[in-house]
């Protein structure tokens, strides 16, 4: 263990917390992972992985070497010097920020908070959360922020399964409640991340993450809108993007798709929309982008109906295979995935729907679709042949799309996975 950094607790062993814990281990820092989900704790203690792209050997190796421990016993927060919070920040049923996970975690920390501890919030949220929500809860302990304990915010920038950027090589934005808070988080994160980007306040750090995600959401909406227009004009949007991308400056490619998914882009921008109301401000770009992106599954449905219609078939009674259920390629995460929306819309229209996703063996117990329960079917020539239509929703790299096309009657391609192949059986959507 490196001297001077002490032991770090990471609360929330999910898609953000677990990779962060492994980064700390790699840097030689001692860390304890906390979660209320006992099954995750047990699996970590057994050296197992529950995220497809994190190999179990890494977890087992660090665990056996004593670099990390995992526990659901929060009284052990008393053993640590630093506490990092990586719990979920979803929207509630009214599409408003649901900060209950952050509040609950802050309440738990308050019970065990001790002098000189550093608390860093990493969950994505609106500016003001660290100062106006987390800090007052922590001060209920009787300790004073900036004097007795330290508080900072640092947004998580991980891109799941992106092999080009290791998390510790992605510059890390940090903001502190006071100069000393910033120094404390600088000292800790400097041991793990190759570049730190200190900003002047907690709020600037919180806002920087939202800007990044809003930037993506708005630009994806732009190409999604142009996809629909160009389709009407008989122009291929993917060809256009490839051509525009050759400009060496002032252009950055974004790609259209069947709709947004994941825990970030479909959700985070609306944290700011909600906060903006307090300032009598309406975030029109965010709303418009949300409107366009959320229409994309309906566009896929429309294109599927038209393609079937041109073959004298109706959606009702058609056998349709969804290829790829995860919200993006080569991962196992189906949160907010447009595949699920498309599946339920097709079912409502009377289609007989099945899906194949090598990363997602089951779809069940989703917050917005509690009754949906499906099992991934095997991908065989016979199944493809028997389908009236195959819809490529997620273009996992391990699938041979040439082979899929060869054995299918009709393919709706929302990802340009069939680029360059015989287009007679393909509808782009
Ligand atoms: N997934 C991403 O790619 C990504 C990227 C950047 C930022 N973020 C942000 O990071 C945060 C976490 O996201 P995630 O994808 O890791 O979520 P996740 O659902 O994968 O993991 C969160 C974990 O927190 C645990 N948890 C919930 N309440 C708890 C509590 N009171 N005490 C202890 N543990 C608790 C859950 O059991 C779960 O294991 C969110 O704010 C998200 O917006 C996510």
């Amino acid at each position: 263990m490196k001297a001077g950094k002490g032991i770090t607790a990471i609360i929330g062993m999910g898609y953000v917390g677990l990779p962060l814990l492994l980064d700390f281990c790699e840097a030689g820092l001692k860390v304890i992972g906390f979660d209320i989900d006992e099954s995750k704790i047990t699996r970590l203690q057994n050296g197992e992985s529950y995220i497809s792209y994190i190999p179990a050997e890494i977890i087992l190796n660090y665990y056996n070497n004593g670099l990390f421990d995992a526990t659901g016993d929060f009284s052990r927060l008393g053993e640590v010097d630093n506490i990092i919070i990586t719990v979920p920040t979803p929207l509630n049923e009214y599409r408003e920020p649901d900060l209950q996970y952050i509040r609950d975690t802050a309440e738990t920390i308050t019970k065990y908070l001790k002098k000189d501890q550093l608390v860093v919030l990493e969950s994505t949220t609106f500016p003001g959360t660290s100062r106006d929500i987390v800090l007052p809860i922590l001060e209920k302990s009787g300790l004073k922020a900036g004097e007795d304990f330290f508080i900072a915010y640092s947004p998580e920038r991980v891109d799941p399964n992106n092999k080009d950027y290791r998390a510790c090589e992605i510059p890390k934005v940090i903001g502190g409640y006071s100069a000393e808070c910033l120094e404390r988080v600088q000292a800790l994160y400097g041991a793990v991340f190759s570049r730190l980007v200190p900003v002047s306040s907690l709020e600037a750090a919180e806002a920087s993450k939202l800007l990044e995600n809003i930037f993506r959401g708005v630009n994806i909406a732009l190409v999604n809108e142009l996809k629909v227009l160009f389709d009407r004009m008989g122009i291929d949007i993917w060809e256009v993007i490839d051509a525009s991308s050759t400009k060496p400056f002032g252009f950055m490619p974004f790609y259209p798709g069947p709709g947004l998914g994941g825990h970030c882009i479909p959700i985070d921008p609306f944290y700011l929309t909600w906060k903006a109301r307090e300032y009598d401000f309406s975030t029109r770009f965010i709303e418009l982008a949300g409107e366009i992106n959320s229409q994309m599954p309906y566009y896929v449905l429309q294109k599927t109906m038209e393609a079937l219609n041109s073959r004298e078939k109706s959606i009702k009674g058609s056998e349709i295979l969804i290829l790829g259920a995860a919200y993006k390629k080569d991962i196992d995460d189906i949160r907010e995935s447009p595949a699920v929306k498309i599946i339920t819309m097709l079912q409502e229209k009377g289609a007989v729907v099945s899906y194949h996703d090598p990363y997602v063996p089951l779809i069940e117990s989703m917050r917005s679709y509690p009754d949906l329960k499906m099992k991934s079917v095997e991908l065989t020539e016979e199944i493809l042949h028997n389908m009236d239509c195959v819809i490529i929703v997620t273009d996992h790299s391990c699938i041979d799309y040439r082979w899929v096309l060869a054995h299918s009657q009709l393919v709706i391609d929302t990802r340009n996975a069939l680029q360059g192949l015989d287009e007679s059986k393909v509808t782009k959507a």
Side-chain angles (χ1 to χ4, degrees), residues 317-358:
S318 281
E319 295 237 24
I320 299 181
L321 178 76
I322 301 293
L323 203 45
Y327 81 86
K328 73 174 221 181
K329 68 153 107 175
D330 304 339
I331 66 165
D332 59 0
D333 192 348
I334 55 166
R335 289 176 297 176
E336 308 288 325
S337 176
V340 183
K341 174 88 184 159
I342 293 168
I343 288 171
T344 53
M345 286 194 305
L346 288 167
Q347 285 175 334
E348 278 161 20
K349 294 255 177 268
V352 182
V353 189
S354 50
Y355 85 95
H356 172 79
D357 191 315

Side-chain angles (χ1 to χ4, degrees), residues 74-366:
F74 288 81
S75 69
R76 292 192 60 194
L77 288 172
E79 294 172 23
V80 307
D81 305 278
N82 318 295
I83 301 172
I84 301 176
I85 304 170
T86 57
V87 296
T89 45
L91 295 171
N92 68 17
E93 56 189 307
Y94 306 107
R95 297 195 64 73
E96 291 169 344
D98 176 0
L99 288 188
Q100 204 48 47
Y101 298 93
I102 289 186
R103 285 184 209 277
D104 288 350
T105 305
E107 294 285 357
T108 304
I109 295 171
T110 304
K111 285 192 217 156
Y112 307 104
L113 192 68
K114 58 176 198 186
K115 248 180 158 320
D116 282 335
Q117 276 180 328
L118 167 70
V119 179
V120 188
L121 179 63
E122 290 228 2
S123 302
T124 307
T125 183
F126 53 76
T129 307
S130 307
R131 188 187 304 272
D132 303 333
I133 291 166
V134 175
L135 187 150
I137 296 176
L138 298 182
E139 285 194 337
K140 287 200 289 185
S141 63
L143 299 175
K144 199 142 177 45
E147 291 175 19
D148 303 320
F149 70 96
F150 304 97
I151 183 159
Y153 180 85
S154 181
E156 180 54 57
R157 285 173 150 171
V158 69
D159 179 17
N161 205 24
N162 185 331
K163 300 208 165 55
D164 295 337
Y165 298 97
R166 294 171 60 216
C168 57
E169 287 163 357
I170 302 172
K172 194 90 171 108
V173 174
I174 44 173
Y177 171 66
S178 65
E180 203 179 345
C181 292
L182 187 60
E183 272 169 34
R184 285 289 303 262
V185 69
Q186 239 164 338
L188 177 65
Y189 280 25
V192 179
F193 298 95
S194 46
R195 191 180 151 212
L196 300 182
V197 185
V199 293
S200 67
S201 65
L202 295 165
E203 288 75 12
E206 289 163 333
S208 73
K209 172 70 185 177
L210 291 184
L211 172 59
E212 290 164 16
N213 284 351
I214 291 163
F215 175 78
R216 281 193 66 72
V218 166
N219 280 288
I220 292 169
L222 176 66
V223 285
N224 274 334
E225 184 172 73
L226 293 181
K227 169 179 76 171
V228 178
L229 169 66
F230 287 169
D231 180 62
R232 257 185 227 184
M233 297 168 76
I235 301 168
D236 183 325
I237 178 81
W238 283 276
E239 186 187 359
V240 174
I241 295 170
D242 283 349
S244 298
S245 299
T246 58
K247 186 178 176 187
F249 50 88
F251 184 84
M252 186 180 179
F254 285 85
Y255 296 95
L260 297 180
H263 190 308
C264 296
I265 320 278
I267 290 174
D268 304 343
F270 297 99
Y271 266 64
L272 192 61
T273 295
W274 179 85
K275 187 69 180 169
R277 284 188 215 129
E278 196 180 310
Y279 294 84
D280 193 21
F281 193 94
S282 127
T283 52
R284 287 179 290 162
F285 263 107
I286 296 174
E287 295 288 2
L288 179 60
E291 208 178 290
I292 294 170
N293 288 329
S294 61
Q295 280 306 306
M296 283 306 116
Y298 295 89
Y299 179 69
V300 175
L301 178 68
Q302 179 67 28
K303 295 296 283 183
T304 305
M305 288 203 287
E306 287 169 11
L308 284 169
N309 189 51
S310 68
R311 284 161 173 75
E312 288 165 27
K313 289 180 181 176
S314 64
I315 285 265
K316 189 166 180 174
S318 281
E319 295 237 24
I320 299 181
L321 178 76
I322 301 293
L323 203 45
Y327 81 86
K328 73 174 221 181
K329 68 153 107 175
D330 304 339
I331 66 165
D332 59 0
D333 192 348
I334 55 166
R335 289 176 297 176
E336 308 288 325
S337 176
V340 183
K341 174 88 184 159
I342 293 168
I343 288 171
T344 53
M345 286 194 305
L346 288 167
Q347 285 175 334
E348 278 161 20
K349 294 255 177 268
V352 182
V353 189
S354 50
Y355 85 95
H356 172 79
D357 191 315
Y359 295 94
V360 183
L362 283 174
I363 300 178
E364 62 180 347
S365 332
M366 295 190 70

